[in-house]
Amino acid sequence: MWFTCALTRAELLRAAAAVHPDAVEHANHVLAGLDTVAVTDRLLDTATTLAPAPPHVLHALHIAAALTAGHQLHTLIAYDEELAAAARDHNITTTTPGGAPCFAP
């Protein structure tokens, strides 16, 4: 199962629009194939209590969304190395597209 935090929609569509108008259509196609974790009070509570605290609120929300998968979570895919490092701090295996998987300790 592939899923993402609902925030990804805004992040991806903004980034795609900055690249090329046709990229937005492709981004929407990609998003249509993903389940999303809604930004709820529960997710916000989890994000605010993560220890160690990720450096950015968006990172905390993505990590909290990933953690909703529990033991079924295999890998968090991150394009941002700070997000990947913060996820590894929470024992989440990460990979960066174009890079090799980096296993959490």
Side-chain angles (χ1 to χ4, degrees), residues 15-45:
V19 172
H20 191 274
D22 293 341
V24 174
E25 181 180 341
H26 181 69
N28 277 311
H29 177 73
V30 169
L31 289 167
L34 298 172
D35 288 330
T36 56
V37 175
V39 179
T40 61
D41 286 343
R42 184 175 179 182
L43 189 73
L44 292 168
D45 290 343

Side-chain angles (χ1 to χ4, degrees), residues 2-103:
W2 293 81
F3 70 97
T4 188
C5 183
L7 292 168
T8 300
R9 179 178 176 169
E11 291 177 312
L12 182 58
L13 292 176
R14 285 185 52 170
V19 172
H20 191 274
D22 293 341
V24 174
E25 181 180 341
H26 181 69
N28 277 311
H29 177 73
V30 169
L31 289 167
L34 298 172
D35 288 330
T36 56
V37 175
V39 179
T40 61
D41 286 343
R42 184 175 179 182
L43 189 73
L44 292 168
D45 290 343
T46 300
T48 60
T49 60
L50 290 173
H56 304 287
V57 172
L58 289 176
H59 294 172
L61 288 165
H62 282 297
I63 292 166
L67 292 172
T68 66
H71 70 279
Q72 294 180 332
L73 178 65
H74 295 285
T75 305
L76 182 142
I77 301 169
Y79 288 86
D80 181 313
E81 182 49 42
E82 276 189 339
L83 171 57
R88 290 190 298 272
D89 286 344
H90 293 277
N91 300 314
I92 299 172
T93 298
T94 66
T95 191
T96 303
C102 184
F103 298 96

